Amino acid sequence: MTGPRHTTVGIIGAGPAGLLLARLLHRAGMDCTVLEHRDRAYVERRQRAGILEQGTVDVLRACGAGERLDREGLVHDGIELRHDRRAHRLDFPALTGGRRVTVYAQTEVVKDLIALQLASGPPLLFDAQALAVAGADTSRPRIRYRHKGREHTLTCDYVIGCDGFHGVTRSAVPAHERRTYERSYPYSWLGVLAEVPPSSDELIYAHSARGFALFSMRTPTVSRLYLQVPNGTDPADWPDDRIWDELERRAAVDTPWKLERGPITAKSVLPMRSSVTEPMRYGRILLAGDAAHIVPPTGAKGLNLAVADVTVLARALAHLHRTGSTALLDAYSATCLRRVWRAEHFSSFMTSTLHTDPDQSPFETRLQLSQLDRIATSPHAAAELAENYTGLPLG
Ligand code: APR
Ligand code: PHB
């Protein structure tokens, strides 16, 4: 097969952004094609975060991808924060007027969307690497791509870059037309999967002088755990016992709590970065998800932002299809960037409040502890965190 030569909407990347956009456009009666560089097994194995805001769950359900999510997703009513050997629970519904989150791994969302698309969706080509995008300021932008060793060109009415942080679409926007705002952090996360039931019903975010630790989960029998580590850390330097000992020390509290240990089945190191590229549209090229912005994982916002972007974008493209008006498309970048910058602020706040910078002064540590104490004692401060964590309504 040589693949299609023209499509209304050419989507680069089959992460959650590209797959969900294709699903939403298909349901709106629009034609599109998804090109994915990797093979299906690779895309379905990638370990990412796993906290879905209510708005994200609603969108997935509405497009038919909610069946397994409703069966297997774990609805959480709060999180626990630990600092100074004390634990404090944030009750999300009480603090936000009823909002909750769902724990369901991003990789499962991706599997569900791929299955739907292959069963009854627009074309999805794996092993199809976009090499370049051209003609952004013409009415026929083009994607040059390689599929199974051969080069092809796909002409489109619109090209959507859902190709993540390392994708090629962003660079099709002339350098003088875009601006990137960035922040890097002097630490990374060591993330592990363990075949052991989670040691608490809800997620635990722990501040400690030894560094941050996070206790999350995938299922009632699989834990997902993270430790702050120096940049450049080799996972091989972290044998299982060292990981469990360190998790235990960083989360130590004066009340009874026992960390269950079990076999660790995967280890990897994740860098932490904040980045936003503006605007998210140039002519007939639009960016969505990680291709336009990334957040450090502390606030669990990456997937939720990608879902919000493509929901706004699908509405705008469907509006154009129905009415011929580009009004919503013209507003796409500004509409998304408002939410993006809120999530950037929250993710950066969570990261800098909970991690210990290697060069941090005792004064800065005192400021962090004061902030955490404020969240533990003021319903206003707690509500601010809870509203951001559970997500603003999609509207
Ligand atoms: N051609 C085709 N596909 C590409 C290319 C290319 N040149 N470059 C990258 N891709 C694919 C990647 O292989 C990947 O499958 O684009 C996809 C991008 O997916 P994600 O990185 O998952 O990004 P996105 O869909 O925006 O999802 C955002 O995923 O990265 C996490 O933390 C992030 O949770 C957030 C969410
Ligand atoms: C995860 O479960 O992978 C996870 C949860 C919460 C975060 C980040 C990652 O803030």
Side-chain angles (χ1 to χ4, degrees):
M1 181 186 110
T2 55
R5 285 158 199 267
H6 181 81
T7 184
T8 308
V9 182
I11 300 173
I12 306 178
L19 290 167
L20 180 61
L21 178 62
R23 188 84 208 139
L24 294 169
L25 294 179
H26 181 61
R27 287 175 75 90
M30 292 186 74
D31 145 70
C32 61
T33 297
V34 183
L35 305 177
E36 167 56 49
H37 179 19
R38 305 290 188 160
D39 63 27
R40 180 178 179 181
Y42 181 95
V43 171
E44 292 190 344
R45 262 201 315 266
R46 256 185 321 222
Q47 275 301 325
R48 295 274 172 75
I51 303 292
L52 311 188
E53 296 173 2
Q54 188 57 52
T56 297
V57 172
D58 293 343
V59 172
L60 290 170
R61 268 190 201 136
C63 76
E67 195 196 310
R68 197 160 65 96
L69 164 63
D70 281 333
R71 233 182 18 250
E72 298 177 14
L74 307 169
V75 175
H76 280 203
D77 280 354
I79 54 169
E80 190 176 291
L81 296 179
R82 292 189 179 184
H83 74 283
D84 238 358
R85 303 190 63 87
R86 283 179 291 144
H88 177 75
R89 177 169 187 265
L90 298 187
D91 180 333
F92 288 157
L95 290 162
T96 63
R99 301 216 300 261
R100 309 172 150 79
V101 294
T102 300
V103 177
Y104 188 68
Q106 178 173 318
T107 172
E108 305 305 322
V109 173
V110 164
K111 280 184 206 162
D112 295 345
L113 289 170
I114 288 177
L116 278 173
Q117 179 148 353
L118 293 180
S120 67
L124 162 57
L125 275 63
F126 288 104
D127 299 304
Q129 181 188 12
L131 303 170
V133 180
D137 44 9
T138 71
S139 59
R140 274 291 153 98
R142 313 178 289 287
I143 307 170
R144 195 160 58 78
Y145 69 98
R146 188 184 298 120
H147 186 222
K148 298 189 174 159
R150 294 183 57 184
E151 277 194 26
H152 307 274
T153 297
L154 181 65
T155 61
C156 314
D157 292 353
Y158 287 90
V159 172
I160 318 298
C162 296
D163 45 352
F165 185 60
H166 300 287
V168 294
T169 316
R170 211 168 41 240
S171 58
V173 178
H176 62 274
E177 298 283 355
R178 62 183 141 96
R179 175 150 183 209
T180 298
Y181 301 84
E182 294 184 279
R183 172 179 287 176
S184 59
Y185 299 86
Y187 35 74
S188 303
W189 279 9
L190 173 68
V192 308
L193 275 174
E195 297 285 338
V196 61
S199 295
S200 109
D201 290 340
E202 294 176 340
L203 271 60
I204 301 173
Y205 289 78
H207 174 279
S208 105
R210 302 180 65 88
F212 171 69
L214 171 59
F215 300 76
S216 181
M217 61 195 71
R218 287 290 170 263
T219 68
T221 56
V222 176
S223 296
R224 176 75 171 154
L225 307 148
Y226 297 98
L227 283 171
Q228 176 189 338
V229 291
N231 287 341
T233 292
D234 180 353
D237 292 338
W238 284 84
D240 295 7
D241 282 345
R242 183 177 177 204
I243 292 174
W244 290 116
D245 290 348
E246 195 59 30
L247 285 164
E248 207 163 68
R249 283 198 198 106
R250 293 187 188 187
V253 275
D254 289 333
T255 43
W257 179 69
K258 185 163 169 10
L259 176 63
E260 297 300 337
R261 301 185 178 210
I264 290 181
T265 54
K267 287 179 203 173
S268 58
V269 170
L270 294 69
M272 314 273 282
R273 245 187 249 111
S274 300
S275 169
V276 180
T277 296
E278 293 188 6
M280 289 168 62
R281 173 190 180 184
Y282 174 72
R284 286 176 175 250
I285 296 187
L286 297 102
L287 304 173
D290 274 20
H293 42 72
I294 47 172
V295 285
T298 327
K301 287 288 159 229
L303 168 64
N304 295 293
L305 275 185
V307 168
D309 285 354
V310 298
T311 304
V312 173
L313 184 50
R315 265 187 215 147
L317 288 166
H319 184 70
L320 170 65
H321 182 62
R322 260 194 338 269
T323 67
S325 160
T326 61
L328 295 185
L329 212 51
D330 295 340
Y332 169 71
S333 180
T335 304
C336 289
L337 284 169
R338 233 180 128 216
R339 171 183 288 269
V340 166
W341 278 111
R342 178 87 302 280
E344 289 287 345
H345 181 276
F346 176 64
S347 306
S348 178
F349 163 79
M350 288 287 279
T351 303
S352 54
T353 303
L354 288 163
H355 290 70
T356 299
D357 188 320
D359 296 327
Q360 185 165 311
S361 69
F363 183 87
E364 286 160 326
T365 304
R366 286 289 193 241
L367 292 183
Q368 288 180 321
L369 294 173
S370 167
Q371 180 63 40
L372 289 164
D373 185 54
R374 171 92 186 134
I375 293 165
T377 53
S378 156
H380 297 289
E384 172 65 10
L385 195 157
E387 272 189 24
N388 279 285
Y389 195 96
T390 55
L392 309 171
L394 263 173

